[in-house]
PDB file of all heavy atoms in Angstrom:
ATOM      1  N   ARG C  87    -237.500 101.903-124.921  1.00 95.00           N
ATOM      2  CA  ARG C  87    -238.057 102.951-125.826  1.00 95.00           C
ATOM      3  C   ARG C  87    -237.515 102.800-127.223  1.00 95.00           C
ATOM      4  O   ARG C  87    -238.272 103.058-128.208  1.00 95.00           O
ATOM      5  CB  ARG C  87    -237.527 104.405-125.270  1.00 95.00           C
ATOM      6  CG  ARG C  87    -238.334 104.911-123.998  1.00 95.00           C
ATOM      7  CD  ARG C  87    -237.714 106.154-123.448  1.00 95.00           C
ATOM      8  NE  ARG C  87    -238.522 106.687-122.383  1.00 95.00           N
ATOM      9  CZ  ARG C  87    -239.468 107.523-122.505  1.00 95.00           C
ATOM     10  NH1 ARG C  87    -239.895 107.916-123.706  1.00 95.00           N
ATOM     11  NH2 ARG C  87    -240.079 107.915-121.386  1.00 95.00           N
ATOM     12  N   GLU C  88    -236.274 102.432-127.371  1.00 95.00           N
ATOM     13  CA  GLU C  88    -235.763 102.278-128.718  1.00 95.00           C
ATOM     14  C   GLU C  88    -236.419 101.133-129.366  1.00 95.00           C
ATOM     15  O   GLU C  88    -236.759 101.193-130.614  1.00 95.00           O
ATOM     16  CB  GLU C  88    -234.213 101.936-128.550  1.00 95.00           C
ATOM     17  CG  GLU C  88    -233.392 101.859-129.926  1.00 95.00           C
ATOM     18  CD  GLU C  88    -233.627 100.590-130.657  1.00 95.00           C
ATOM     19  OE1 GLU C  88    -233.828  99.505-130.019  1.00 95.00           O
ATOM     20  OE2 GLU C  88    -233.552 100.613-131.957  1.00 95.00           O
ATOM     21  N   LEU C  89    -236.635 100.029-128.686  1.00 95.00           N
ATOM     22  CA  LEU C  89    -237.348  98.938-129.294  1.00 95.00           C
ATOM     23  C   LEU C  89    -238.805  99.255-129.729  1.00 95.00           C
ATOM     24  O   LEU C  89    -239.142  98.935-130.868  1.00 95.00           O
ATOM     25  CB  LEU C  89    -237.500  97.792-128.234  1.00 95.00           C
ATOM     26  CG  LEU C  89    -238.377  96.622-128.650  1.00 95.00           C
ATOM     27  CD1 LEU C  89    -237.788  95.902-129.931  1.00 95.00           C
ATOM     28  CD2 LEU C  89    -238.548  95.633-127.540  1.00 95.00           C
ATOM     29  N   ILE C  90    -239.547  99.954-128.975  1.00 96.00           N
ATOM     30  CA  ILE C  90    -240.882 100.342-129.366  1.00 96.00           C
ATOM     31  C   ILE C  90    -240.819 101.221-130.626  1.00 96.00           C
ATOM     32  O   ILE C  90    -241.648 101.082-131.534  1.00 96.00           O
ATOM     33  CB  ILE C  90    -241.618 101.046-128.194  1.00 96.00           C
ATOM     34  CG1 ILE C  90    -241.892 100.080-127.048  1.00 96.00           C
ATOM     35  CG2 ILE C  90    -242.879 101.745-128.701  1.00 96.00           C
ATOM     36  CD1 ILE C  90    -242.389 100.665-125.846  1.00 96.00           C
ATOM     37  N   GLY C  91    -239.856 102.037-130.612  1.00 95.00           N
ATOM     38  CA  GLY C  91    -239.749 102.970-131.830  1.00 95.00           C
ATOM     39  C   GLY C  91    -239.397 102.108-133.081  1.00 95.00           C
ATOM     40  O   GLY C  91    -239.956 102.413-134.172  1.00 95.00           O
ATOM     41  N   ARG C  92    -238.467 101.142-132.936  1.00 95.00           N
ATOM     42  CA  ARG C  92    -238.204 100.222-133.990  1.00 95.00           C
ATOM     43  C   ARG C  92    -239.277  99.354-134.494  1.00 95.00           C
ATOM     44  O   ARG C  92    -239.488  99.283-135.795  1.00 95.00           O
ATOM     45  CB  ARG C  92    -236.943  99.424-133.553  1.00 95.00           C
ATOM     46  CG  ARG C  92    -236.422  98.379-134.618  1.00 95.00           C
ATOM     47  CD  ARG C  92    -235.010  98.010-134.306  1.00 95.00           C
ATOM     48  NE  ARG C  92    -234.696  97.872-132.929  1.00 95.00           N
ATOM     49  CZ  ARG C  92    -234.709  96.673-132.351  1.00 95.00           C
ATOM     50  NH1 ARG C  92    -235.000  95.555-132.958  1.00 95.00           N
ATOM     51  NH2 ARG C  92    -234.440  96.610-130.996  1.00 95.00           N
ATOM     52  N   VAL C  93    -240.017  98.869-133.535  1.00 96.00           N
ATOM     53  CA  VAL C  93    -241.219  98.104-133.915  1.00 96.00           C
ATOM     54  C   VAL C  93    -242.262  98.892-134.771  1.00 96.00           C
ATOM     55  O   VAL C  93    -242.778  98.453-135.764  1.00 96.00           O
ATOM     56  CB  VAL C  93    -241.925  97.535-132.653  1.00 96.00           C
ATOM     57  CG1 VAL C  93    -243.333  96.915-132.972  1.00 96.00           C
ATOM     58  CG2 VAL C  93    -241.040  96.332-132.029  1.00 96.00           C
ATOM     59  N   ARG C  94    -242.443 100.149-134.266  1.00 96.00           N
ATOM     60  CA  ARG C  94    -243.359 100.987-135.049  1.00 96.00           C
ATOM     61  C   ARG C  94    -242.870 101.479-136.281  1.00 96.00           C
ATOM     62  O   ARG C  94    -243.721 101.753-137.238  1.00 96.00           O
ATOM     63  CB  ARG C  94    -243.783 102.201-134.075  1.00 96.00           C
ATOM     64  CG  ARG C  94    -244.774 101.798-132.944  1.00 96.00           C
ATOM     65  CD  ARG C  94    -244.920 102.907-131.894  1.00 96.00           C
ATOM     66  NE  ARG C  94    -246.058 102.569-131.022  1.00 96.00           N
ATOM     67  CZ  ARG C  94    -246.277 103.219-129.883  1.00 96.00           C
ATOM     68  NH1 ARG C  94    -245.343 104.168-129.513  1.00 96.00           N
ATOM     69  NH2 ARG C  94    -247.247 102.869-129.101  1.00 96.00           N
ATOM     70  N   ARG C  95    -241.534 101.541-136.528  1.00 95.00           N
ATOM     71  CA  ARG C  95    -241.102 101.898-137.837  1.00 95.00           C
ATOM     72  C   ARG C  95    -241.260 100.708-138.787  1.00 95.00           C
ATOM     73  O   ARG C  95    -241.617 100.867-139.911  1.00 95.00           O
ATOM     74  CB  ARG C  95    -239.497 102.241-137.768  1.00 95.00           C
ATOM     75  CG  ARG C  95    -239.298 103.603-137.117  1.00 95.00           C
ATOM     76  CD  ARG C  95    -237.935 104.064-137.393  1.00 95.00           C
ATOM     77  NE  ARG C  95    -236.931 103.195-136.674  1.00 95.00           N
ATOM     78  CZ  ARG C  95    -236.499 103.286-135.364  1.00 95.00           C
ATOM     79  NH1 ARG C  95    -237.100 104.236-134.700  1.00 95.00           N
ATOM     80  NH2 ARG C  95    -235.656 102.497-134.872  1.00 95.00           N
ATOM     81  N   PHE C  96    -241.038  99.454-138.314  1.00 94.00           N
ATOM     82  CA  PHE C  96    -241.187  98.305-139.108  1.00 94.00           C
ATOM     83  C   PHE C  96    -242.655  98.066-139.431  1.00 94.00           C
ATOM     84  O   PHE C  96    -243.115  97.699-140.603  1.00 94.00           O
ATOM     85  CB  PHE C  96    -240.656  96.984-138.525  1.00 94.00           C
ATOM     86  CG  PHE C  96    -239.276  96.639-138.961  1.00 94.00           C
ATOM     87  CD1 PHE C  96    -238.161  97.216-138.255  1.00 94.00           C
ATOM     88  CD2 PHE C  96    -239.062  95.764-139.982  1.00 94.00           C
ATOM     89  CE1 PHE C  96    -236.891  96.868-138.626  1.00 94.00           C
ATOM     90  CE2 PHE C  96    -237.767  95.440-140.320  1.00 94.00           C
ATOM     91  CZ  PHE C  96    -236.689  96.003-139.690  1.00 94.00           C
ATOM     92  N   LEU C  97    -243.477  98.214-138.429  1.00 95.00           N
ATOM     93  CA  LEU C  97    -244.998  97.920-138.517  1.00 95.00           C
ATOM     94  C   LEU C  97    -245.795  99.182-138.049  1.00 95.00           C
ATOM     95  O   LEU C  97    -246.186  99.191-136.883  1.00 95.00           O
ATOM     96  CB  LEU C  97    -245.257  96.703-137.595  1.00 95.00           C
ATOM     97  CG  LEU C  97    -244.345  95.435-137.789  1.00 95.00           C
ATOM     98  CD1 LEU C  97    -244.580  94.484-136.613  1.00 95.00           C
ATOM     99  CD2 LEU C  97    -244.608  94.777-139.085  1.00 95.00           C
ATOM    100  N   PRO C  98    -245.948 100.125-138.992  1.00 95.00           N
ATOM    101  CA  PRO C  98    -246.628 101.326-138.534  1.00 95.00           C
ATOM    102  C   PRO C  98    -248.015 101.255-137.848  1.00 95.00           C
ATOM    103  O   PRO C  98    -248.403 102.103-137.066  1.00 95.00           O
ATOM    104  CB  PRO C  98    -246.679 102.076-139.890  1.00 95.00           C
ATOM    105  CG  PRO C  98    -245.649 101.500-140.729  1.00 95.00           C
ATOM    106  CD  PRO C  98    -245.621 100.125-140.367  1.00 95.00           C
ATOM    107  N   GLU C  99    -248.693 100.198-138.197  1.00 94.00           N
ATOM    108  CA  GLU C  99    -250.077 100.008-137.659  1.00 94.00           C
ATOM    109  C   GLU C  99    -250.164  98.943-136.551  1.00 94.00           C
ATOM    110  O   GLU C  99    -251.141  98.401-136.234  1.00 94.00           O
ATOM    111  CB  GLU C  99    -251.110  99.709-138.764  1.00 94.00           C
ATOM    112  CG  GLU C  99    -251.265 100.840-139.760  1.00 94.00           C
ATOM    113  CD  GLU C  99    -252.447 100.644-140.774  1.00 94.00           C
ATOM    114  OE1 GLU C  99    -252.941  99.568-140.702  1.00 94.00           O
ATOM    115  OE2 GLU C  99    -252.751 101.579-141.441  1.00 94.00           O
ATOM    116  N   VAL C 100    -248.928  98.665-136.053  1.00 96.00           N
ATOM    117  CA  VAL C 100    -248.857  97.607-135.005  1.00 96.00           C
ATOM    118  C   VAL C 100    -249.703  97.960-133.726  1.00 96.00           C
ATOM    119  O   VAL C 100    -249.783  99.167-133.399  1.00 96.00           O
ATOM    120  CB  VAL C 100    -247.402  97.349-134.655  1.00 96.00           C
ATOM    121  CG1 VAL C 100    -246.765  98.447-133.864  1.00 96.00           C
ATOM    122  CG2 VAL C 100    -247.269  96.017-133.832  1.00 96.00           C
ATOM    123  N   ALA C 101    -250.294  97.030-133.112  1.00 96.00           N
ATOM    124  CA  ALA C 101    -250.948  97.084-131.904  1.00 96.00           C
ATOM    125  C   ALA C 101    -250.043  96.473-130.848  1.00 96.00           C
ATOM    126  O   ALA C 101    -249.617  95.340-130.953  1.00 96.00           O
ATOM    127  CB  ALA C 101    -252.253  96.390-131.802  1.00 96.00           C
ATOM    128  N   ILE C 102    -249.666  97.230-129.825  1.00 96.00           N
ATOM    129  CA  ILE C 102    -248.727  96.736-128.750  1.00 96.00           C
ATOM    130  C   ILE C 102    -249.482  96.695-127.416  1.00 96.00           C
ATOM    131  O   ILE C 102    -250.072  97.698-127.031  1.00 96.00           O
ATOM    132  CB  ILE C 102    -247.537  97.770-128.650  1.00 96.00           C
ATOM    133  CG1 ILE C 102    -246.840  97.849-129.950  1.00 96.00           C
ATOM    134  CG2 ILE C 102    -246.547  97.242-127.598  1.00 96.00           C
ATOM    135  CD1 ILE C 102    -245.506  98.783-129.902  1.00 96.00           C
ATOM    136  N   ARG C 103    -249.283  95.449-126.846  1.00 96.00           N
ATOM    137  CA  ARG C 103    -249.895  95.241-125.529  1.00 96.00           C
ATOM    138  C   ARG C 103    -248.792  94.956-124.591  1.00 96.00           C
ATOM    139  O   ARG C 103    -247.667  94.414-125.011  1.00 96.00           O
ATOM    140  CB  ARG C 103    -250.790  94.034-125.559  1.00 96.00           C
ATOM    141  CG  ARG C 103    -250.824  93.330-124.200  1.00 96.00           C
ATOM    142  CD  ARG C 103    -251.875  92.135-124.104  1.00 96.00           C
ATOM    143  NE  ARG C 103    -253.131  92.793-123.838  1.00 96.00           N
ATOM    144  CZ  ARG C 103    -253.592  93.143-122.593  1.00 96.00           C
ATOM    145  NH1 ARG C 103    -252.703  92.989-121.527  1.00 96.00           N
ATOM    146  NH2 ARG C 103    -254.709  93.604-122.383  1.00 96.00           N
ATOM    147  N   SER C 104    -248.984  95.347-123.307  1.00 96.00           N
ATOM    148  CA  SER C 104    -247.979  95.086-122.302  1.00 96.00           C
ATOM    149  C   SER C 104    -248.658  95.007-121.013  1.00 96.00           C
ATOM    150  O   SER C 104    -249.750  95.370-120.785  1.00 96.00           O
ATOM    151  CB  SER C 104    -246.739  96.076-122.222  1.00 96.00           C
ATOM    152  OG  SER C 104    -245.803  95.628-121.495  1.00 96.00           O
ATOM    153  N   THR C 105    -247.878  94.343-120.045  1.00 94.00           N
ATOM    154  CA  THR C 105    -248.399  94.270-118.644  1.00 94.00           C
ATOM    155  C   THR C 105    -247.285  94.782-117.689  1.00 94.00           C
ATOM    156  O   THR C 105    -246.077  94.744-118.025  1.00 94.00           O
ATOM    157  CB  THR C 105    -248.640  92.809-118.212  1.00 94.00           C
ATOM    158  OG1 THR C 105    -247.495  91.939-118.619  1.00 94.00           O
ATOM    159  CG2 THR C 105    -249.915  92.319-119.004  1.00 94.00           C
ATOM    160  N   PHE C 106    -247.686  95.267-116.603  1.00 95.00           N
ATOM    161  CA  PHE C 106    -246.766  95.932-115.703  1.00 95.00           C
ATOM    162  C   PHE C 106    -247.071  95.526-114.131  1.00 95.00           C
ATOM    163  O   PHE C 106    -248.338  95.296-113.851  1.00 95.00           O
ATOM    164  CB  PHE C 106    -246.887  97.534-115.732  1.00 95.00           C
ATOM    165  CG  PHE C 106    -246.477  97.971-117.119  1.00 95.00           C
ATOM    166  CD1 PHE C 106    -247.402  98.137-118.123  1.00 95.00           C
ATOM    167  CD2 PHE C 106    -245.158  98.359-117.307  1.00 95.00           C
ATOM    168  CE1 PHE C 106    -247.047  98.468-119.409  1.00 95.00           C
ATOM    169  CE2 PHE C 106    -244.784  98.797-118.564  1.00 95.00           C
ATOM    170  CZ  PHE C 106    -245.719  98.869-119.605  1.00 95.00           C
ATOM    171  N   ILE C 107    -246.141  95.366-113.414  1.00 94.00           N
ATOM    172  CA  ILE C 107    -246.241  95.017-112.012  1.00 94.00           C
ATOM    173  C   ILE C 107    -246.048  96.257-111.125  1.00 94.00           C
ATOM    174  O   ILE C 107    -244.997  96.839-111.283  1.00 94.00           O
ATOM    175  CB  ILE C 107    -245.257  93.998-111.576  1.00 94.00           C
ATOM    176  CG1 ILE C 107    -245.426  92.693-112.455  1.00 94.00           C
ATOM    177  CG2 ILE C 107    -245.246  93.595-110.147  1.00 94.00           C
ATOM    178  CD1 ILE C 107    -244.403  91.610-112.169  1.00 94.00           C
ATOM    179  N   LEU C 108    -247.090  96.512-110.379  1.00 93.00           N
ATOM    180  CA  LEU C 108    -246.988  97.754-109.503  1.00 93.00           C
ATOM    181  C   LEU C 108    -246.708  97.262-108.087  1.00 93.00           C
ATOM    182  O   LEU C 108    -247.350  96.314-107.520  1.00 93.00           O
ATOM    183  CB  LEU C 108    -248.388  98.472-109.520  1.00 93.00           C
ATOM    184  CG  LEU C 108    -248.710  99.244-110.773  1.00 93.00           C
ATOM    185  CD1 LEU C 108    -247.491 100.247-110.992  1.00 93.00           C
ATOM    186  CD2 LEU C 108    -248.940  98.503-112.035  1.00 93.00           C
ATOM    187  N   GLY C 109    -245.935  98.090-107.407  1.00 92.00           N
ATOM    188  CA  GLY C 109    -245.578  97.855-106.003  1.00 92.00           C
ATOM    189  C   GLY C 109    -244.495  96.719-105.819  1.00 92.00           C
ATOM    190  O   GLY C 109    -244.589  96.081-104.691  1.00 92.00           O
ATOM    191  N   TYR C 110    -243.651  96.407-106.738  1.00 93.00           N
ATOM    192  CA  TYR C 110    -242.622  95.483-106.538  1.00 93.00           C
ATOM    193  C   TYR C 110    -241.747  96.019-105.385  1.00 93.00           C
ATOM    194  O   TYR C 110    -241.623  97.245-105.144  1.00 93.00           O
ATOM    195  CB  TYR C 110    -241.780  95.359-107.753  1.00 93.00           C
ATOM    196  CG  TYR C 110    -240.765  94.226-107.804  1.00 93.00           C
ATOM    197  CD1 TYR C 110    -241.279  92.893-108.023  1.00 93.00           C
ATOM    198  CD2 TYR C 110    -239.451  94.407-107.483  1.00 93.00           C
ATOM    199  CE1 TYR C 110    -240.383  91.882-108.033  1.00 93.00           C
ATOM    200  CE2 TYR C 110    -238.573  93.325-107.423  1.00 93.00           C
ATOM    201  CZ  TYR C 110    -239.038  91.991-107.706  1.00 93.00           C
ATOM    202  OH  TYR C 110    -238.149  91.078-107.676  1.00 93.00           O
ATOM    203  N   PRO C 111    -241.205  95.048-104.483  1.00 94.00           N
ATOM    204  CA  PRO C 111    -240.496  95.560-103.347  1.00 94.00           C
ATOM    205  C   PRO C 111    -239.400  96.690-103.728  1.00 94.00           C
ATOM    206  O   PRO C 111    -238.629  96.492-104.626  1.00 94.00           O
ATOM    207  CB  PRO C 111    -239.719  94.276-102.923  1.00 94.00           C
ATOM    208  CG  PRO C 111    -240.697  93.141-103.308  1.00 94.00           C
ATOM    209  CD  PRO C 111    -241.311  93.600-104.638  1.00 94.00           C
ATOM    210  N   GLY C 112    -239.601  97.749-102.925  1.00 93.00           N
ATOM    211  CA  GLY C 112    -238.576  98.841-103.047  1.00 93.00           C
ATOM    212  C   GLY C 112    -239.142  99.932-104.086  1.00 93.00           C
ATOM    213  O   GLY C 112    -238.463 100.965-104.142  1.00 93.00           O
ATOM    214  N   GLU C 113    -240.171  99.652-104.798  1.00 92.00           N
ATOM    215  CA  GLU C 113    -240.694 100.703-105.745  1.00 92.00           C
ATOM    216  C   GLU C 113    -241.137 101.961-105.007  1.00 92.00           C
ATOM    217  O   GLU C 113    -241.966 101.964-104.092  1.00 92.00           O
ATOM    218  CB  GLU C 113    -241.858 100.148-106.571  1.00 92.00           C
ATOM    219  CG  GLU C 113    -242.377 101.128-107.635  1.00 92.00           C
ATOM    220  CD  GLU C 113    -243.665 100.705-108.176  1.00 92.00           C
ATOM    221  OE1 GLU C 113    -244.683 100.516-107.342  1.00 92.00           O
ATOM    222  OE2 GLU C 113    -243.847 100.618-109.412  1.00 92.00           O
ATOM    223  N   THR C 114    -240.353 103.089-105.241  1.00 95.00           N
ATOM    224  CA  THR C 114    -240.764 104.344-104.613  1.00 95.00           C
ATOM    225  C   THR C 114    -241.807 105.033-105.454  1.00 95.00           C
ATOM    226  O   THR C 114    -242.039 104.805-106.596  1.00 95.00           O
ATOM    227  CB  THR C 114    -239.407 105.213-104.578  1.00 95.00           C
ATOM    228  OG1 THR C 114    -239.003 105.509-105.907  1.00 95.00           O
ATOM    229  CG2 THR C 114    -238.310 104.460-103.886  1.00 95.00           C
ATOM    230  N   GLU C 115    -242.258 106.105-104.937  1.00 95.00           N
ATOM    231  CA  GLU C 115    -243.260 107.005-105.577  1.00 95.00           C
ATOM    232  C   GLU C 115    -242.684 107.576-106.754  1.00 95.00           C
ATOM    233  O   GLU C 115    -243.324 107.752-107.803  1.00 95.00           O
ATOM    234  CB  GLU C 115    -243.711 108.049-104.628  1.00 95.00           C
ATOM    235  CG  GLU C 115    -245.113 108.620-105.061  1.00 95.00           C
ATOM    236  CD  GLU C 115    -246.271 107.656-104.992  1.00 95.00           C
ATOM    237  OE1 GLU C 115    -246.154 106.628-104.249  1.00 95.00           O
ATOM    238  OE2 GLU C 115    -247.229 107.828-105.704  1.00 95.00           O
ATOM    239  N   GLU C 116    -241.365 108.027-106.713  1.00 96.00           N
ATOM    240  CA  GLU C 116    -240.720 108.505-107.944  1.00 96.00           C
ATOM    241  C   GLU C 116    -240.575 107.521-109.041  1.00 96.00           C
ATOM    242  O   GLU C 116    -240.808 107.837-110.127  1.00 96.00           O
ATOM    243  CB  GLU C 116    -239.358 109.079-107.452  1.00 96.00           C
ATOM    244  CG  GLU C 116    -239.323 110.245-106.577  1.00 96.00           C
ATOM    245  CD  GLU C 116    -239.778 110.002-105.208  1.00 96.00           C
ATOM    246  OE1 GLU C 116    -239.634 108.824-104.694  1.00 96.00           O
ATOM    247  OE2 GLU C 116    -240.289 110.922-104.532  1.00 96.00           O
ATOM    248  N   GLU C 117    -240.230 106.279-108.577  1.00 96.00           N
ATOM    249  CA  GLU C 117    -240.065 105.280-109.658  1.00 96.00           C
ATOM    250  C   GLU C 117    -241.431 104.971-110.344  1.00 96.00           C
ATOM    251  O   GLU C 117    -241.495 104.697-111.595  1.00 96.00           O
ATOM    252  CB  GLU C 117    -239.419 103.990-109.104  1.00 96.00           C
ATOM    253  CG  GLU C 117    -238.001 104.153-108.685  1.00 96.00           C
ATOM    254  CD  GLU C 117    -237.510 103.084-107.782  1.00 96.00           C
ATOM    255  OE1 GLU C 117    -238.295 102.383-107.195  1.00 96.00           O
ATOM    256  OE2 GLU C 117    -236.309 102.864-107.775  1.00 96.00           O
ATOM    257  N   PHE C 118    -242.523 104.941-109.470  1.00 95.00           N
ATOM    258  CA  PHE C 118    -243.850 104.732-110.056  1.00 95.00           C
ATOM    259  C   PHE C 118    -244.222 105.924-111.090  1.00 95.00           C
ATOM    260  O   PHE C 118    -244.739 105.670-112.105  1.00 95.00           O
ATOM    261  CB  PHE C 118    -244.946 104.584-108.883  1.00 95.00           C
ATOM    262  CG  PHE C 118    -246.249 104.649-109.423  1.00 95.00           C
ATOM    263  CD1 PHE C 118    -246.864 103.728-110.150  1.00 95.00           C
ATOM    264  CD2 PHE C 118    -247.009 105.806-109.150  1.00 95.00           C
ATOM    265  CE1 PHE C 118    -248.135 103.833-110.672  1.00 95.00           C
ATOM    266  CE2 PHE C 118    -248.368 105.900-109.574  1.00 95.00           C
ATOM    267  CZ  PHE C 118    -248.925 104.943-110.311  1.00 95.00           C
ATOM    268  N   LYS C 119    -243.977 107.116-110.615  1.00 96.00           N
ATOM    269  CA  LYS C 119    -244.289 108.243-111.446  1.00 96.00           C
ATOM    270  C   LYS C 119    -243.498 108.218-112.789  1.00 96.00           C
ATOM    271  O   LYS C 119    -243.988 108.578-113.808  1.00 96.00           O
ATOM    272  CB  LYS C 119    -244.009 109.577-110.711  1.00 96.00           C
ATOM    273  CG  LYS C 119    -245.022 109.840-109.607  1.00 96.00           C
ATOM    274  CD  LYS C 119    -244.641 111.114-108.861  1.00 96.00           C
ATOM    275  CE  LYS C 119    -245.674 111.399-107.800  1.00 96.00           C
ATOM    276  NZ  LYS C 119    -245.241 112.647-106.971  1.00 96.00           N
ATOM    277  N   GLU C 120    -242.263 107.602-112.719  1.00 96.00           N
ATOM    278  CA  GLU C 120    -241.545 107.490-114.027  1.00 96.00           C
ATOM    279  C   GLU C 120    -242.262 106.526-114.960  1.00 96.00           C
ATOM    280  O   GLU C 120    -242.237 106.722-116.129  1.00 96.00           O
ATOM    281  CB  GLU C 120    -240.140 106.963-113.614  1.00 96.00           C
ATOM    282  CG  GLU C 120    -239.167 106.934-114.855  1.00 96.00           C
ATOM    283  CD  GLU C 120    -237.741 106.661-114.532  1.00 96.00           C
ATOM    284  OE1 GLU C 120    -237.311 106.990-113.425  1.00 96.00           O
ATOM    285  OE2 GLU C 120    -237.107 105.970-115.291  1.00 96.00           O
ATOM    286  N   LEU C 121    -242.840 105.523-114.394  1.00 96.00           N
ATOM    287  CA  LEU C 121    -243.671 104.581-115.193  1.00 96.00           C
ATOM    288  C   LEU C 121    -244.882 105.288-115.782  1.00 96.00           C
ATOM    289  O   LEU C 121    -245.111 105.019-116.971  1.00 96.00           O
ATOM    290  CB  LEU C 121    -244.075 103.401-114.371  1.00 96.00           C
ATOM    291  CG  LEU C 121    -245.120 102.403-115.099  1.00 96.00           C
ATOM    292  CD1 LEU C 121    -244.514 101.858-116.306  1.00 96.00           C
ATOM    293  CD2 LEU C 121    -245.478 101.247-114.040  1.00 96.00           C
ATOM    294  N   LEU C 122    -245.511 106.106-115.013  1.00 96.00           N
ATOM    295  CA  LEU C 122    -246.688 106.884-115.494  1.00 96.00           C
ATOM    296  C   LEU C 122    -246.214 107.746-116.714  1.00 96.00           C
ATOM    297  O   LEU C 122    -246.963 107.789-117.749  1.00 96.00           O
ATOM    298  CB  LEU C 122    -247.254 107.840-114.360  1.00 96.00           C
ATOM    299  CG  LEU C 122    -248.287 107.170-113.416  1.00 96.00           C
ATOM    300  CD1 LEU C 122    -248.593 108.190-112.413  1.00 96.00           C
ATOM    301  CD2 LEU C 122    -249.456 106.695-114.135  1.00 96.00           C
ATOM    302  N   VAL C 123    -245.129 108.417-116.559  1.00 96.00           N
ATOM    303  CA  VAL C 123    -244.586 109.309-117.634  1.00 96.00           C
ATOM    304  C   VAL C 123    -244.279 108.487-118.855  1.00 96.00           C
ATOM    305  O   VAL C 123    -244.620 108.862-120.030  1.00 96.00           O
ATOM    306  CB  VAL C 123    -243.392 110.084-117.217  1.00 96.00           C
ATOM    307  CG1 VAL C 123    -242.701 110.789-118.421  1.00 96.00           C
ATOM    308  CG2 VAL C 123    -243.793 111.167-116.055  1.00 96.00           C
ATOM    309  N   PHE C 124    -243.625 107.295-118.648  1.00 96.00           N
ATOM    310  CA  PHE C 124    -243.285 106.427-119.797  1.00 96.00           C
ATOM    311  C   PHE C 124    -244.452 105.966-120.576  1.00 96.00           C
ATOM    312  O   PHE C 124    -244.574 106.050-121.818  1.00 96.00           O
ATOM    313  CB  PHE C 124    -242.563 105.191-119.235  1.00 96.00           C
ATOM    314  CG  PHE C 124    -242.374 104.123-120.171  1.00 96.00           C
ATOM    315  CD1 PHE C 124    -241.223 104.069-121.089  1.00 96.00           C
ATOM    316  CD2 PHE C 124    -243.310 103.028-120.252  1.00 96.00           C
ATOM    317  CE1 PHE C 124    -241.100 103.097-121.928  1.00 96.00           C
ATOM    318  CE2 PHE C 124    -243.080 101.967-121.126  1.00 96.00           C
ATOM    319  CZ  PHE C 124    -241.998 102.022-122.011  1.00 96.00           C
ATOM    320  N   LEU C 125    -245.607 105.525-119.839  1.00 95.00           N
ATOM    321  CA  LEU C 125    -246.753 105.158-120.489  1.00 95.00           C
ATOM    322  C   LEU C 125    -247.477 106.249-121.196  1.00 95.00           C
ATOM    323  O   LEU C 125    -248.143 106.066-122.216  1.00 95.00           O
ATOM    324  CB  LEU C 125    -247.746 104.462-119.545  1.00 95.00           C
ATOM    325  CG  LEU C 125    -247.193 103.062-118.996  1.00 95.00           C
ATOM    326  CD1 LEU C 125    -248.073 102.542-117.941  1.00 95.00           C
ATOM    327  CD2 LEU C 125    -247.196 102.070-120.203  1.00 95.00           C
ATOM    328  N   ASP C 126    -247.423 107.436-120.571  1.00 95.00           N
ATOM    329  CA  ASP C 126    -248.130 108.673-121.163  1.00 95.00           C
ATOM    330  C   ASP C 126    -247.371 108.988-122.532  1.00 95.00           C
ATOM    331  O   ASP C 126    -248.057 109.436-123.444  1.00 95.00           O
ATOM    332  CB  ASP C 126    -248.022 109.805-120.240  1.00 95.00           C
ATOM    333  CG  ASP C 126    -249.045 110.837-120.533  1.00 95.00           C
ATOM    334  OD1 ASP C 126    -250.171 110.438-120.860  1.00 95.00           O
ATOM    335  OD2 ASP C 126    -248.611 112.081-120.437  1.00 95.00           O
TER     336      ASP C 126
END
């Protein structure tokens, strides 16, 4: 979160892409929902 904020401060119009792996061994429903909140 700190990095994304720093990148956007340096480059206000930056486009950020990322990829995510779903269902990595041990991923619980709570951990998945945390990812949903993060992306939101």
Side-chain angles (χ1 to χ4, degrees):
R87 286 175 176 270
E88 189 279 329
L89 171 65
I90 292 173
R92 179 157 39 96
V93 168
R94 285 171 168 164
R95 286 193 297 274
F96 264 88
L97 309 169
E99 296 190 352
V100 68
I102 300 178
R103 148 171 281 280
S104 190
T105 49
F106 297 87
I107 297 174
L108 283 308
Y110 191 80
E113 183 191 56
T114 65
E115 199 65 23
E116 290 71 25
E117 290 168 339
F118 167 68
K119 288 178 180 177
E120 190 174 324
L121 174 58
L122 277 175
V123 171
F124 170 84
L125 288 173
D126 200 39

